[in-house]
PDB file of all heavy atoms in Angstrom:
ATOM      1  N   PHE A1057      -4.416 -20.528  14.909  1.00 96.00           N
ATOM      2  CA  PHE A1057      -5.122 -19.257  14.701  1.00 96.00           C
ATOM      3  C   PHE A1057      -5.114 -18.434  15.947  1.00 96.00           C
ATOM      4  O   PHE A1057      -4.828 -17.212  15.998  1.00 96.00           O
ATOM      5  CB  PHE A1057      -6.520 -19.500  14.135  1.00 96.00           C
ATOM      6  CG  PHE A1057      -7.211 -18.207  13.736  1.00 96.00           C
ATOM      7  CD1 PHE A1057      -6.648 -17.353  12.777  1.00 96.00           C
ATOM      8  CD2 PHE A1057      -8.440 -17.873  14.264  1.00 96.00           C
ATOM      9  CE1 PHE A1057      -7.280 -16.227  12.370  1.00 96.00           C
ATOM     10  CE2 PHE A1057      -9.125 -16.736  13.870  1.00 96.00           C
ATOM     11  CZ  PHE A1057      -8.538 -15.892  12.924  1.00 96.00           C
ATOM     12  N   LEU A1060      -1.829 -16.922  16.608  1.00 96.00           N
ATOM     13  CA  LEU A1060      -1.630 -15.751  15.737  1.00 96.00           C
ATOM     14  C   LEU A1060      -2.386 -14.545  16.267  1.00 96.00           C
ATOM     15  O   LEU A1060      -1.847 -13.434  16.332  1.00 96.00           O
ATOM     16  CB  LEU A1060      -2.099 -16.085  14.314  1.00 96.00           C
ATOM     17  CG  LEU A1060      -2.035 -14.935  13.299  1.00 96.00           C
ATOM     18  CD1 LEU A1060      -0.582 -14.570  13.007  1.00 96.00           C
ATOM     19  CD2 LEU A1060      -2.785 -15.296  12.082  1.00 96.00           C
ATOM     20  N   LYS A1064      -0.574 -11.067  17.350  1.00 96.00           N
ATOM     21  CA  LYS A1064      -0.933  -9.845  16.680  1.00 96.00           C
ATOM     22  C   LYS A1064      -1.814  -8.900  17.531  1.00 96.00           C
ATOM     23  O   LYS A1064      -2.188  -7.812  17.084  1.00 96.00           O
ATOM     24  CB  LYS A1064      -1.677 -10.122  15.344  1.00 96.00           C
ATOM     25  CG  LYS A1064      -0.855 -10.972  14.381  1.00 96.00           C
ATOM     26  CD  LYS A1064       0.289 -10.187  13.843  1.00 96.00           C
ATOM     27  CE  LYS A1064       1.049 -10.994  12.811  1.00 96.00           C
ATOM     28  NZ  LYS A1064       2.192 -10.328  12.241  1.00 96.00           N
ATOM     29  N   TYR A1066      -4.911  -9.123  18.553  1.00 96.00           N
ATOM     30  CA  TYR A1066      -6.334  -8.938  18.225  1.00 96.00           C
ATOM     31  C   TYR A1066      -7.158  -9.076  19.467  1.00 96.00           C
ATOM     32  O   TYR A1066      -6.851  -9.919  20.293  1.00 96.00           O
ATOM     33  CB  TYR A1066      -6.773  -9.967  17.192  1.00 96.00           C
ATOM     34  CG  TYR A1066      -6.444  -9.634  15.770  1.00 96.00           C
ATOM     35  CD1 TYR A1066      -5.315 -10.197  15.170  1.00 96.00           C
ATOM     36  CD2 TYR A1066      -7.197  -8.755  15.037  1.00 96.00           C
ATOM     37  CE1 TYR A1066      -4.980  -9.854  13.848  1.00 96.00           C
ATOM     38  CE2 TYR A1066      -6.879  -8.373  13.744  1.00 96.00           C
ATOM     39  CZ  TYR A1066      -5.784  -8.963  13.154  1.00 96.00           C
ATOM     40  OH  TYR A1066      -5.441  -8.667  11.840  1.00 96.00           O
ATOM     41  N   GLU A1071     -12.502 -10.116  14.971  1.00 95.00           N
ATOM     42  CA  GLU A1071     -11.736  -9.050  14.382  1.00 95.00           C
ATOM     43  C   GLU A1071     -10.647  -9.598  13.466  1.00 95.00           C
ATOM     44  O   GLU A1071     -10.371  -9.090  12.395  1.00 95.00           O
ATOM     45  CB  GLU A1071     -11.138  -8.134  15.483  1.00 95.00           C
ATOM     46  CG  GLU A1071     -10.711  -6.789  14.922  1.00 95.00           C
ATOM     47  CD  GLU A1071     -11.799  -5.978  14.277  1.00 95.00           C
ATOM     48  OE1 GLU A1071     -12.953  -5.914  14.802  1.00 95.00           O
ATOM     49  OE2 GLU A1071     -11.568  -5.418  13.169  1.00 95.00           O
ATOM     50  N   ALA A1072     -10.008 -10.675  13.921  1.00 96.00           N
ATOM     51  CA  ALA A1072      -8.957 -11.304  13.107  1.00 96.00           C
ATOM     52  C   ALA A1072      -9.537 -11.854  11.807  1.00 96.00           C
ATOM     53  O   ALA A1072      -8.949 -11.682  10.733  1.00 96.00           O
ATOM     54  CB  ALA A1072      -8.240 -12.423  13.891  1.00 96.00           C
ATOM     55  N   VAL A1073     -10.675 -12.538  11.897  1.00 95.00           N
ATOM     56  CA  VAL A1073     -11.351 -13.078  10.697  1.00 95.00           C
ATOM     57  C   VAL A1073     -11.718 -11.964   9.740  1.00 95.00           C
ATOM     58  O   VAL A1073     -11.527 -12.084   8.516  1.00 95.00           O
ATOM     59  CB  VAL A1073     -12.523 -13.971  11.085  1.00 95.00           C
ATOM     60  CG1 VAL A1073     -13.360 -14.330   9.845  1.00 95.00           C
ATOM     61  CG2 VAL A1073     -12.036 -15.244  11.792  1.00 95.00           C
ATOM     62  N   ARG A1074     -12.276 -10.901  10.263  1.00 94.00           N
ATOM     63  CA  ARG A1074     -12.621  -9.737   9.411  1.00 94.00           C
ATOM     64  C   ARG A1074     -11.409  -9.210   8.656  1.00 94.00           C
ATOM     65  O   ARG A1074     -11.507  -8.941   7.408  1.00 94.00           O
ATOM     66  CB  ARG A1074     -13.269  -8.603  10.242  1.00 94.00           C
ATOM     67  CG  ARG A1074     -14.741  -8.803  10.582  1.00 94.00           C
ATOM     68  CD  ARG A1074     -15.336  -7.580  11.186  1.00 94.00           C
ATOM     69  NE  ARG A1074     -14.974  -7.350  12.554  1.00 94.00           N
ATOM     70  CZ  ARG A1074     -15.645  -7.872  13.633  1.00 94.00           C
ATOM     71  NH1 ARG A1074     -16.650  -8.639  13.464  1.00 94.00           N
ATOM     72  NH2 ARG A1074     -15.191  -7.579  14.848  1.00 94.00           N
ATOM     73  N   ASP A1075     -10.292  -9.074   9.331  1.00 93.00           N
ATOM     74  CA  ASP A1075      -9.064  -8.595   8.680  1.00 93.00           C
ATOM     75  C   ASP A1075      -8.593  -9.562   7.591  1.00 93.00           C
ATOM     76  O   ASP A1075      -8.166  -9.141   6.506  1.00 93.00           O
ATOM     77  CB  ASP A1075      -7.938  -8.358   9.670  1.00 93.00           C
ATOM     78  CG  ASP A1075      -8.023  -6.994  10.308  1.00 93.00           C
ATOM     79  OD1 ASP A1075      -8.889  -6.212   9.993  1.00 93.00           O
ATOM     80  OD2 ASP A1075      -7.158  -6.701  11.167  1.00 93.00           O
ATOM     81  N   LEU A1076      -8.658 -10.815   7.865  1.00 94.00           N
ATOM     82  CA  LEU A1076      -8.246 -11.825   6.867  1.00 94.00           C
ATOM     83  C   LEU A1076      -9.169 -11.762   5.638  1.00 94.00           C
ATOM     84  O   LEU A1076      -8.660 -11.865   4.496  1.00 94.00           O
ATOM     85  CB  LEU A1076      -8.315 -13.240   7.444  1.00 94.00           C
ATOM     86  CG  LEU A1076      -7.222 -13.560   8.481  1.00 94.00           C
ATOM     87  CD1 LEU A1076      -7.531 -14.908   9.125  1.00 94.00           C
ATOM     88  CD2 LEU A1076      -5.818 -13.613   7.807  1.00 94.00           C
ATOM     89  N   ILE A1077     -10.443 -11.601   5.818  1.00 93.00           N
ATOM     90  CA  ILE A1077     -11.366 -11.513   4.705  1.00 93.00           C
ATOM     91  C   ILE A1077     -11.104 -10.235   3.902  1.00 93.00           C
ATOM     92  O   ILE A1077     -11.036 -10.255   2.674  1.00 93.00           O
ATOM     93  CB  ILE A1077     -12.828 -11.550   5.207  1.00 93.00           C
ATOM     94  CG1 ILE A1077     -13.167 -12.955   5.747  1.00 93.00           C
ATOM     95  CG2 ILE A1077     -13.813 -11.194   4.088  1.00 93.00           C
ATOM     96  CD1 ILE A1077     -14.490 -13.052   6.467  1.00 93.00           C
ATOM     97  N   ARG A1078     -10.926  -9.090   4.613  1.00 90.00           N
ATOM     98  CA  ARG A1078     -10.645  -7.833   3.905  1.00 90.00           C
ATOM     99  C   ARG A1078      -9.346  -7.990   3.094  1.00 90.00           C
ATOM    100  O   ARG A1078      -9.272  -7.482   1.977  1.00 90.00           O
ATOM    101  CB  ARG A1078     -10.499  -6.714   4.896  1.00 90.00           C
ATOM    102  CG  ARG A1078     -11.774  -6.245   5.518  1.00 90.00           C
ATOM    103  CD  ARG A1078     -11.548  -5.064   6.460  1.00 90.00           C
ATOM    104  NE  ARG A1078     -12.672  -4.875   7.339  1.00 90.00           N
ATOM    105  CZ  ARG A1078     -12.657  -4.994   8.689  1.00 90.00           C
ATOM    106  NH1 ARG A1078     -11.514  -5.325   9.279  1.00 90.00           N
ATOM    107  NH2 ARG A1078     -13.748  -4.810   9.359  1.00 90.00           N
ATOM    108  N   GLU A1079      -8.297  -8.562   3.678  1.00 90.00           N
ATOM    109  CA  GLU A1079      -7.044  -8.731   2.984  1.00 90.00           C
ATOM    110  C   GLU A1079      -7.225  -9.582   1.730  1.00 90.00           C
ATOM    111  O   GLU A1079      -6.695  -9.256   0.665  1.00 90.00           O
ATOM    112  CB  GLU A1079      -6.037  -9.397   3.897  1.00 90.00           C
ATOM    113  CG  GLU A1079      -4.657  -9.552   3.262  1.00 90.00           C
ATOM    114  CD  GLU A1079      -3.642 -10.189   4.232  1.00 90.00           C
ATOM    115  OE1 GLU A1079      -3.867 -10.211   5.459  1.00 90.00           O
ATOM    116  OE2 GLU A1079      -2.644 -10.693   3.743  1.00 90.00           O
ATOM    117  N   LYS A1080      -7.937 -10.658   1.791  1.00 93.00           N
ATOM    118  CA  LYS A1080      -8.173 -11.518   0.645  1.00 93.00           C
ATOM    119  C   LYS A1080      -8.993 -10.782  -0.413  1.00 93.00           C
ATOM    120  O   LYS A1080      -8.610 -10.896  -1.590  1.00 93.00           O
ATOM    121  CB  LYS A1080      -8.897 -12.802   1.115  1.00 93.00           C
ATOM    122  CG  LYS A1080      -9.161 -13.774  -0.006  1.00 93.00           C
ATOM    123  CD  LYS A1080      -7.849 -14.373  -0.491  1.00 93.00           C
ATOM    124  CE  LYS A1080      -8.140 -15.472  -1.540  1.00 93.00           C
ATOM    125  NZ  LYS A1080      -6.932 -15.923  -2.228  1.00 93.00           N
ATOM    126  N   LEU A1081     -10.019 -10.096  -0.017  1.00 91.00           N
ATOM    127  CA  LEU A1081     -10.847  -9.370  -1.013  1.00 91.00           C
ATOM    128  C   LEU A1081     -10.066  -8.278  -1.680  1.00 91.00           C
ATOM    129  O   LEU A1081     -10.145  -8.080  -2.910  1.00 91.00           O
ATOM    130  CB  LEU A1081     -12.095  -8.786  -0.322  1.00 91.00           C
ATOM    131  CG  LEU A1081     -13.145  -9.807   0.141  1.00 91.00           C
ATOM    132  CD1 LEU A1081     -14.215  -9.143   0.964  1.00 91.00           C
ATOM    133  CD2 LEU A1081     -13.707 -10.589  -0.988  1.00 91.00           C
ATOM    134  N   SER A1082      -9.214  -7.546  -0.922  1.00 90.00           N
ATOM    135  CA  SER A1082      -8.416  -6.493  -1.467  1.00 90.00           C
ATOM    136  C   SER A1082      -7.379  -7.098  -2.493  1.00 90.00           C
ATOM    137  O   SER A1082      -7.191  -6.571  -3.533  1.00 90.00           O
ATOM    138  CB  SER A1082      -7.659  -5.774  -0.393  1.00 90.00           C
ATOM    139  OG  SER A1082      -6.810  -4.761  -0.915  1.00 90.00           O
ATOM    140  N   GLY A1083      -6.788  -8.255  -2.088  1.00 91.00           N
ATOM    141  CA  GLY A1083      -5.823  -8.876  -2.969  1.00 91.00           C
ATOM    142  C   GLY A1083      -6.466  -9.319  -4.306  1.00 91.00           C
ATOM    143  O   GLY A1083      -5.866  -9.211  -5.364  1.00 91.00           O
ATOM    144  N   GLU A1084      -7.710  -9.786  -4.211  1.00 94.00           N
ATOM    145  CA  GLU A1084      -8.410 -10.141  -5.425  1.00 94.00           C
ATOM    146  C   GLU A1084      -8.689  -8.961  -6.334  1.00 94.00           C
ATOM    147  O   GLU A1084      -8.511  -9.037  -7.539  1.00 94.00           O
ATOM    148  CB  GLU A1084      -9.785 -10.868  -5.078  1.00 94.00           C
ATOM    149  CG  GLU A1084      -9.608 -12.234  -4.470  1.00 94.00           C
ATOM    150  CD  GLU A1084      -8.990 -13.245  -5.425  1.00 94.00           C
ATOM    151  OE1 GLU A1084      -9.393 -13.270  -6.619  1.00 94.00           O
ATOM    152  OE2 GLU A1084      -8.093 -13.978  -5.020  1.00 94.00           O
ATOM    153  N   LYS A1085      -9.074  -7.841  -5.705  1.00 94.00           N
ATOM    154  CA  LYS A1085      -9.312  -6.623  -6.486  1.00 94.00           C
ATOM    155  C   LYS A1085      -8.075  -6.107  -7.195  1.00 94.00           C
ATOM    156  O   LYS A1085      -8.113  -5.609  -8.286  1.00 94.00           O
ATOM    157  CB  LYS A1085      -9.895  -5.546  -5.573  1.00 94.00           C
ATOM    158  CG  LYS A1085     -11.266  -5.743  -5.150  1.00 94.00           C
ATOM    159  CD  LYS A1085     -11.750  -4.581  -4.234  1.00 94.00           C
ATOM    160  CE  LYS A1085     -13.091  -4.801  -3.672  1.00 94.00           C
ATOM    161  NZ  LYS A1085     -13.487  -3.754  -2.726  1.00 94.00           N
ATOM    162  N   LEU A1086      -6.926  -6.286  -6.511  1.00 95.00           N
ATOM    163  CA  LEU A1086      -5.634  -5.813  -7.057  1.00 95.00           C
ATOM    164  C   LEU A1086      -5.208  -6.580  -8.265  1.00 95.00           C
ATOM    165  O   LEU A1086      -4.290  -6.167  -9.003  1.00 95.00           O
ATOM    166  CB  LEU A1086      -4.573  -5.827  -5.969  1.00 95.00           C
ATOM    167  CG  LEU A1086      -4.747  -4.849  -4.851  1.00 95.00           C
ATOM    168  CD1 LEU A1086      -3.688  -5.081  -3.772  1.00 95.00           C
ATOM    169  CD2 LEU A1086      -4.728  -3.401  -5.351  1.00 95.00           C
ATOM    170  N   GLN A1087      -5.841  -7.705  -8.564  1.00 94.00           N
ATOM    171  CA  GLN A1087      -5.507  -8.486  -9.743  1.00 94.00           C
ATOM    172  C   GLN A1087      -5.990  -7.790 -11.001  1.00 94.00           C
ATOM    173  O   GLN A1087      -5.474  -8.052 -12.101  1.00 94.00           O
ATOM    174  CB  GLN A1087      -6.092  -9.910  -9.693  1.00 94.00           C
ATOM    175  CG  GLN A1087      -5.572 -10.753  -8.553  1.00 94.00           C
ATOM    176  CD  GLN A1087      -4.084 -10.870  -8.540  1.00 94.00           C
ATOM    177  OE1 GLN A1087      -3.441 -11.197  -9.571  1.00 94.00           O
ATOM    178  NE2 GLN A1087      -3.453 -10.546  -7.405  1.00 94.00           N
ATOM    179  N   LEU A1169       0.576  -2.272  -2.215  1.00 95.00           N
ATOM    180  CA  LEU A1169      -0.710  -1.803  -2.775  1.00 95.00           C
ATOM    181  C   LEU A1169      -1.858  -2.160  -1.861  1.00 95.00           C
ATOM    182  O   LEU A1169      -1.880  -3.247  -1.261  1.00 95.00           O
ATOM    183  CB  LEU A1169      -0.954  -2.454  -4.149  1.00 95.00           C
ATOM    184  CG  LEU A1169      -0.044  -1.996  -5.281  1.00 95.00           C
ATOM    185  CD1 LEU A1169      -0.147  -2.951  -6.417  1.00 95.00           C
ATOM    186  CD2 LEU A1169      -0.403  -0.618  -5.765  1.00 95.00           C
ATOM    187  N   ILE A1170      -2.835  -1.238  -1.858  1.00 93.00           N
ATOM    188  CA  ILE A1170      -4.132  -1.465  -1.168  1.00 93.00           C
ATOM    189  C   ILE A1170      -5.235  -1.037  -2.111  1.00 93.00           C
ATOM    190  O   ILE A1170      -5.177   0.080  -2.646  1.00 93.00           O
ATOM    191  CB  ILE A1170      -4.230  -0.663   0.109  1.00 93.00           C
ATOM    192  CG1 ILE A1170      -3.110  -1.084   1.108  1.00 93.00           C
ATOM    193  CG2 ILE A1170      -5.586  -0.827   0.761  1.00 93.00           C
ATOM    194  CD1 ILE A1170      -3.013  -0.209   2.349  1.00 93.00           C
ATOM    195  N   ALA A1171      -6.186  -1.943  -2.375  1.00 93.00           N
ATOM    196  CA  ALA A1171      -7.318  -1.536  -3.187  1.00 93.00           C
ATOM    197  C   ALA A1171      -8.088  -0.443  -2.470  1.00 93.00           C
ATOM    198  O   ALA A1171      -8.307  -0.498  -1.254  1.00 93.00           O
ATOM    199  CB  ALA A1171      -8.247  -2.721  -3.422  1.00 93.00           C
ATOM    200  N   GLU A1174     -13.401   1.179  -2.338  1.00 68.00           N
ATOM    201  CA  GLU A1174     -14.455   1.405  -1.334  1.00 68.00           C
ATOM    202  C   GLU A1174     -14.203   2.682  -0.497  1.00 68.00           C
ATOM    203  O   GLU A1174     -15.078   3.145   0.158  1.00 68.00           O
ATOM    204  CB  GLU A1174     -14.576   0.189  -0.399  1.00 68.00           C
ATOM    205  CG  GLU A1174     -13.355  -0.102   0.406  1.00 68.00           C
ATOM    206  CD  GLU A1174     -12.403  -1.128  -0.288  1.00 68.00           C
ATOM    207  OE1 GLU A1174     -12.544  -1.360  -1.507  1.00 68.00           O
ATOM    208  OE2 GLU A1174     -11.546  -1.640   0.392  1.00 68.00           O
ATOM    209  N   PHE A1175     -13.005   3.283  -0.598  1.00 64.00           N
ATOM    210  CA  PHE A1175     -12.684   4.469   0.160  1.00 64.00           C
ATOM    211  C   PHE A1175     -12.990   5.717  -0.632  1.00 64.00           C
ATOM    212  O   PHE A1175     -12.977   6.817  -0.057  1.00 64.00           O
ATOM    213  CB  PHE A1175     -11.252   4.481   0.590  1.00 64.00           C
ATOM    214  CG  PHE A1175     -10.835   3.221   1.354  1.00 64.00           C
ATOM    215  CD1 PHE A1175      -9.878   2.397   0.903  1.00 64.00           C
ATOM    216  CD2 PHE A1175     -11.494   2.859   2.536  1.00 64.00           C
ATOM    217  CE1 PHE A1175      -9.520   1.250   1.544  1.00 64.00           C
ATOM    218  CE2 PHE A1175     -11.180   1.734   3.190  1.00 64.00           C
ATOM    219  CZ  PHE A1175     -10.126   0.908   2.701  1.00 64.00           C
TER     220      PHE A1175
END
Side-chain angles (χ1 to χ4, degrees):
F1057 187 57
L1060 178 68
K1064 300 290 184 181
Y1066 278 100
E1071 197 58 45
V1073 169
R1074 280 191 284 271
D1075 274 0
L1076 289 171
I1077 292 170
R1078 287 182 196 116
E1079 181 179 342
K1080 182 66 175 172
L1081 292 173
S1082 178
E1084 290 295 316
K1085 287 179 186 176
L1086 292 173
Q1087 298 305 308
L1169 290 164
I1170 299 172
E1174 62 268 16
F1175 307 119

